Structure formats: C-alpha cells, structure tokens
Amino acid sequence: MELHQLTIHELQEKIRGGGASALQIAESVFSRIDAVEDRVHSYIRLMKKEAMAAAVRADEQIKKGDIQPLTGIPVALKDIVCTQGIPTTCGSHILHQFVPPYNATVVEKLAAAGAVFVGKANMDEFAMGSSTETSSFGPTRNPWDLERIPGGSSGGSAAAVAAGECIASIGSDTGGSIRQPAALCGVVGMKPTYGRVSRFGLIAFASSLDQIGPFTRDVEDCAIMMNVLAGYDPKESTSVRAEVPDYRRFIGRDIQGWRIGIPGEYFIEGIDPEVSAAVRKAIETVRQCGASIVEISLPHTRYCVAVYYIIAPAEASSNLARYDGVRYGLRTADARDLAEMYEKTRMQGFGAEVKRRIMIGTYALSAGYYDAYYGKASQVRALIRRDFDEAFTKCDAILTPTSPTPAFRLGEKTDDPLQMYLSDIFTISANLAGIPGISVPCGFSASGLPIGVQFLTGHFEEGRLLQVASAYEKSAAVEKRRPSL
Amino acid sequence: MKLSTSDVEYVARLARLEISEAEKDKFTAQLNDILRYIDQLNELDTAGVAPMSHAIAVTNAFREDKVVESLGTQKALANAPDARGEFFRVPKVIE
C-alpha cells in the first residue's frame, strides 16, 4: 500500500514507528497528484512548495519527539477558507486575485496541529451548488467515474480524499455540502453542530447555516480532525462556549441498547432503488450491533428544501453585497460612475447560479415580500427544528440516506436549478435545525458508484454521532475499494 | 407567473446586478419555477409560531473591551483594485 492511500491514524503509527517521514508522505501525495490531477481536477491551487517546506519542518519536530495530532499529515483546504498570503477564490472569478491578509481559525488550528497543507480545493462558486460544476475554474470529476460529478459544493475536498490527492480535507456545509459529496465520493464527511467550529475566515454564504467540517477515509480520522477543529473562538461571535470532549474516545464503543430512529419521510418515492437497498442494509447492520430500530416521524421534512431556498439565498444576497469592486476582488474596467461600476463588476464577476440566488434572496427580502417569504420560512424552520427535538425524545440517533441518488452525470442538472436543489433533500434539515450529521460509506451501486448513509444526533452530540458511525462502520465492513484512476 | 421580466429587472437593480437580455428571460422562467416550488410553504398554518433566525440561541456575544491589534492600513488596502494614500479610490459618484 502506498502512503497516499493510508488513513491519518495509520500514518501516525508509521511516523511514530519511524516507518515513514513527513517528507515521504508529502512526496507520495504529490506524485499521486501528478498522476491523476489533470483528470480529476480536485484543486484550484496546489501548494507544493509550502507543503514540502512544512513536511521538512514536521520531520524536524518528529526528530525532537514533538508529535502533534496531525504532524506530517497532508490536508486539503476548500478554497473558501482564508489562507494568509495564498490566493483564496471561493470558486469565483470575482475573487480570482484575492490574497487574504489573515488565516481562518481552522487553518491556524490545523497548522498548530502539524498539518501539511496540500492546496486549495475546488468548489461550487461561493459554495452554491451540489456538483462543483458552478466553479469558475472548471468542474471537478468524480474519481469513481470521470463522467460524473463528485457532489458539491465541497466536491474538490471530497474527490481529493477519494483519489489519494490528500489524506484528509476541510469542507463547509450549508445544506449538505460536506455530507453529499462525501457520500458520492465514498468517504466520511461530517457537518458539526452550528457553533461547534469557528467560522472566522470562512467566506460567508448563509451565516445562520454555514459550518466547517472534515472529510476523511474513516470515522476514527474524522474524530482526530474534530479534536483539532472544535472549540470556542473569541473571534467568532456565533461559536459556542461548550466543552469539547476527546472525540477519539467515542471510537470503538458499542451501541448496545441504543434506539436508532428511522424517519418514514426520508424513504420516499423517487429515491434510487440501489440507494434505498444499501441504506436498508445499513439499518439491519445497526440492528445487529444491538441497537433497536424505532420508526419516527419528522413531519415537516417535505418543506425543508423550500425553506432552505428562501433562507440561504436571502442571507447570501446580504453577504455577497460586499463584492462591489471597491475593497478587494474584481473591478470592471469600463464604468463611468460608481453605480455602473458596482453593476458591471458583479455582472462580470459572478456566475449564473450565484446571480440566481442573489436575485431570489433580494426578492424574498424586498419590501412587501419579506413576511410572505423570509418570515414564513423562518417560522417553518422553527417547526422543522421542533420535529427533531421531538424525535430525539424517542431515539438516540437518526439514520437516513445521505443523497437520494449516487453521483449523476456532468451537465445532467445544470439547466434545471430545482432538480439540482433536490439532490440536497436529505441533508438540508440538519443545517436548518443546527444539528450535527455525518455521512459514512455504506456500499456501491451495481455500476460501482459509492453510496452513503447519514447519521444525525442532537446539538453538540458529535461524540455520540462518531460512536454510532464508527460502530456501524466496523460492523458493516463495507468492501474497501479504490477508484481505478 | 408570479414574476414578470420587469420585476426581474427591478430585483436586479436592487441587487446591483447588470443582467443581459438573454439572462433576463432565463432568470424570469427559473425564478418563477423556484417561487412556485416555495409556495408549498403556504399549505402550513404557522400562526403563532415564533420565527427561528439562528440554530443555536447565542445572544450578546460580548468580548472584553480591550484594545487589540488590527489589520492596519497597508494590509487593508493590499487587495484594493485602486487605492491612493490611505483611501480606496472609486469612480466619481456625481457629475
């Protein structure tokens, strides 16, 4: 097995035992990138020079016996988190030359934990999309089938882990943008509780929904990453002062006697039969782990997508008002006055999906429509959250499909925004309610495409979420396949 | 149709977005599709339901009123498309 194929904990063992150096690990990852990146296109920008220097520094630390949780581990960053001195585009032409003057808090934390940054991963423009096709820098392809999308918006981060172009990566999830690509690329992806991970330096999309989280090759690695990422940050007013447990302690614990809730509303018509079969098999596996299966109801599920497509665009239309060609980013060359400069800069800088969402959001917040749209959606959002509060009195965790279908083909949904939006139908509710969710691989379709199962728990119960996910992962022992690139 | 092409023009102006004629027609159709889908929320009676604006109720996240280092003019202007001295420079606002 080559180094780029291993997990964080396997590499840590090698590093501790002298079986591999940080430099060898970095070289293995970059030679893999040389071999596959032109086909997959996981990255907007590679940071090879910085990575090699960081690997050399990591080896010096290792020699001194100073081994941190991620020392020498190659990690990719979604190009939505700010990196000081390294261009950060958010997948958008409007930011193609933006060089942040500071690091996001997660970047600082990962660096302090010894991570080696491989590059900035591709994404849907401003994280608006479910396929990574709206990136201004061209689409990422699914490593399992290059004619298919990797999911999105964090498609580059998911594909990089699946393709061996990094060991773990960082994504952001506003309506499923970590969990859906994780499912479609056959990796583990977690969206933590709203407020669990600092968003300082995360380029804002929808501020009441956005959350940063990891992509990894297994659940234990997810716990290792969460140990580094989680925690209160005085620079981020929505981060929560809640105790952070050692997440790794939850790995390997059993779920004997747990009640796993299955919401009928998530097993609807229109869900791909192979996805349905794989997820039903996952339910059986969980039962064999000693958990009892309870039927629950989340009655407002069918309204989630509608609520999301008011709230997220409304917040986005405000957040993206800052891209006006004045302080940073693109400025049009041909404008006679200030107003024209704004309008032309934004026309040239934003892609179609971003414009569409700014328009929906602006309309939903405009005079005369606010109550009918934003007000109404915020009320239904409260009902959706109430559904979960109610459900968690009857069960310890909820199990659902992550995505209604395996990866679809490039171009299949680009002309039909509503169809694209519906691919997040099972993931959006967790963002609206603020609860944590994780997608874990649960099998493959007949044509060899990965399928994911999603687990959800209550607010700040990431530990228990990792516990049920790792118990499932261990018991399911889903066949270890690698994409044949 | 809920939204006419002129509504789309109005919203684009509010959003400070110039849109082409082709985009205008496409957006009008697509936004109407999306709004029609969103209309299903009206099936629900939400009278008396308090709206939810944040997932976790954190109020008044104050920090200590202490002077800390800030970005500084040079760094703040480093990404500016046009700057002069200590200022961002923009096209003229009035004739």
Side-chain angles (χ1 to χ4, degrees):
Chain A
M1 212 119 83
E2 294 188 61
L3 293 173
H4 68 254
Q5 298 173 323
L6 300 178
T7 62
I8 298 175
H9 55 92
E10 287 164 348
L11 288 170
Q12 279 175 334
E13 262 181 50
K14 280 201 182 288
I15 286 174
R16 284 175 201 282
S21 70
L23 193 60
Q24 285 170 332
I25 296 168
E27 278 168 351
S28 174
V29 165
F30 276 96
S31 70
R32 176 69 174 168
I33 289 171
D34 286 343
V36 303
E37 174 62 7
D38 60 338
R39 280 171 288 157
V40 181
H41 190 226
S42 300
Y43 290 98
I44 290 175
R45 169 178 298 269
L46 288 165
M47 295 166 59
K48 187 169 184 181
K49 205 177 73 190
E50 294 86 352
M52 290 304 171
V56 169
R57 282 198 304 277
D59 280 328
E60 284 163 12
Q61 297 300 111
I62 293 164
K63 217 174 286 170
K64 284 187 221 155
D66 176 14
I67 302 179
Q68 297 300 313
L70 297 175
T71 296
I73 304 297
V75 173
L77 300 167
K78 185 178 184 180
D79 206 20
I80 195 170
V81 294
C82 286
T83 41
Q84 189 173 350
I86 306 283
T88 299
T89 68
C90 216
S92 181
H93 180 57
I94 211 163
L95 284 176
H96 75 289
Q97 289 179 320
F98 174 63
V99 183
Y102 56 82
N103 277 328
T105 294
V106 294
V107 173
E108 292 284 335
K109 285 187 162 194
L110 290 164
V116 170
F117 298 127
V118 180
K120 305 298 293 285
N122 197 16
M123 56 183 285
D124 280 298
E125 184 179 9
F126 284 102
M128 296 177 188
S130 307
S131 67
T132 316
E133 290 169 291
T134 73
S135 168
S136 298
F137 306 97
T140 296
R141 286 163 188 271
N142 193 312
W144 296 91
D145 179 348
L146 296 171
E147 296 308 309
R148 290 175 190 268
I149 56 95
S153 66
S154 313
S157 302
V161 173
E165 297 184 279
C166 65
I167 305 302
S169 65
I170 293 296
S172 64
D173 188 316
T174 303
S177 284
I178 292 174
R179 291 159 287 152
Q180 183 256 19
L184 271 41
C185 288
V187 298
V188 172
M190 181 196 259
K191 180 201 91 75
T193 308
Y194 184 81
R196 178 88 285 187
V197 175
S198 168
R199 304 178 301 174
F200 178 77
L202 173 77
I203 296 176
F205 161 16
S207 302
S208 80
L209 304 165
D210 298 340
Q211 186 57 203
I212 294 174
F215 288 94
T216 56
R217 297 207 170 116
D218 67 11
V219 178
E220 182 167 358
D221 276 8
C222 182
I224 293 171
M225 291 288 281
M226 281 301 296
N227 274 351
V228 173
L229 298 173
Y232 171 70
D233 177 7
K235 289 178 179 166
E236 214 265 78
S237 62
T238 59
S239 76
V240 173
R241 290 175 201 259
E243 204 193 323
V244 180
D246 174 4
Y247 291 118
R248 221 171 161 172
R249 283 202 343 257
F250 292 88
I251 304 299
R253 290 186 187 172
D254 68 43
I255 52 166
Q256 199 78 39
W258 280 41
R259 298 159 305 166
I260 304 296
I262 309 296
E265 294 84 357
Y266 282 65
F267 293 83
I268 46 167
E269 252 180 81
I271 168 170
D272 182 277
E274 288 185 293
V275 170
S276 181
V279 174
R280 289 194 187 280
K281 200 172 153 203
I283 296 171
E284 258 332 289
T285 305
V286 168
R287 195 200 303 274
Q288 282 158 17
C289 290
S292 59
I293 303 301
V294 292
E295 279 181 30
I296 57 162
S297 176
L298 297 166
H300 296 93
T301 298
R302 57 180 293 227
Y303 301 105
C304 285
V305 174
V307 169
Y308 180 83
Y309 278 96
I310 291 296
I311 289 174
E315 294 181 5
S317 72
S318 310
N319 276 328
L320 272 60
R322 72 190 68 178
Y323 304 104
D324 56 7
V326 175
R327 286 150 302 163
Y328 44 78
L330 181 81
R331 176 187 291 188
T332 184
D334 50 341
R336 285 161 305 182
D337 59 31
L338 188 62
E340 195 182 72
M341 192 276 278
Y342 294 151
E343 293 185 350
K344 284 202 188 307
T345 294
R346 291 161 66 79
M347 173 193 64
Q348 292 165 9
F350 290 139
E353 180 60 21
V354 172
K355 287 179 191 166
R356 201 153 35 230
R357 296 209 199 181
I358 290 175
M359 299 275 290
I360 300 171
T362 303
Y363 177 69
L365 293 176
S366 65
Y369 296 101
Y370 180 94
D371 288 336
Y373 288 108
Y374 193 78
K376 183 80 180 184
S378 303
Q379 286 180 306
V380 180
R381 184 179 180 185
L383 297 177
I384 290 164
R385 179 183 167 159
R386 205 181 287 171
D387 285 353
F388 279 103
D389 290 345
E390 182 86 1
F392 285 125
T393 65
K394 302 190 181 84
C395 64
D396 301 290
I398 294 172
L399 184 159
T400 79
T402 307
S403 163
T405 64
F408 45 92
R409 289 177 192 284
L410 266 89
E412 197 176 316
K413 299 187 181 183
T414 38
D415 279 335
D416 190 346
L418 202 50
Q419 277 310 307
M420 187 72 91
Y421 298 172
L422 290 170
S423 64
D424 292 332
I425 192 164
F426 300 140
T427 46
I428 280 173
S429 56
N431 300 77
L432 293 172
I435 59 173
I438 191 169
S439 180
V440 183
C442 71
F444 292 89
S445 71
S447 60
L449 297 170
I451 298 169
V453 59
Q454 173 177 245
F455 295 95
L456 304 167
T457 54
H459 295 109
F460 298 103
E461 288 187 351
E462 284 83 358
R464 291 164 64 79
L465 186 59
L466 288 160
Q467 182 172 346
V468 64
S470 86
Y472 164 74
E473 179 188 54
K474 187 176 164 203
S475 177
V478 173
E479 184 194 346
K480 292 263 184 238
R481 289 193 209 171
R482 284 176 212 291
S484 52
L485 275 165
Chain B
M1 290 235 295
K2 296 177 80 76
L3 272 186
S4 65
T5 311
S6 65
D7 290 332
V8 168
E9 285 169 8
Y10 170 70
V11 173
R13 201 161 63 242
L14 285 179
R16 290 278 183 259
L17 270 178
E18 189 180 294
I19 51 174
S20 66
E21 287 302 317
E23 275 180 321
K24 229 170 267 176
D25 290 339
K26 198 169 177 183
F27 281 170
T28 305
Q30 289 174 334
L31 295 185
N32 274 303
D33 269 358
I34 295 164
L35 290 173
R36 242 192 320 275
Y37 180 80
I38 285 165
D39 266 347
Q40 62 174 303
L41 295 182
N42 293 325
E43 295 165 8
L44 285 170
D45 179 8
T46 50
V49 177
M52 172 179 170
S53 58
H54 262 270
I56 305 289
V58 175
T59 45
N60 297 343
F62 293 133
R63 63 168 171 80
E64 222 185 312
D65 187 13
K66 222 167 52 185
V67 178
V68 292
E69 211 184 318
S70 60
L71 205 53
T73 314
Q74 208 187 340
K75 276 188 175 176
L77 290 174
N79 278 288
D82 195 1
R84 184 186 284 172
E86 297 185 348
F87 299 97
F88 294 102
R89 199 159 171 257
V90 296
K92 65 184 169 197
V93 180
I94 43 169
E95 289 295 325

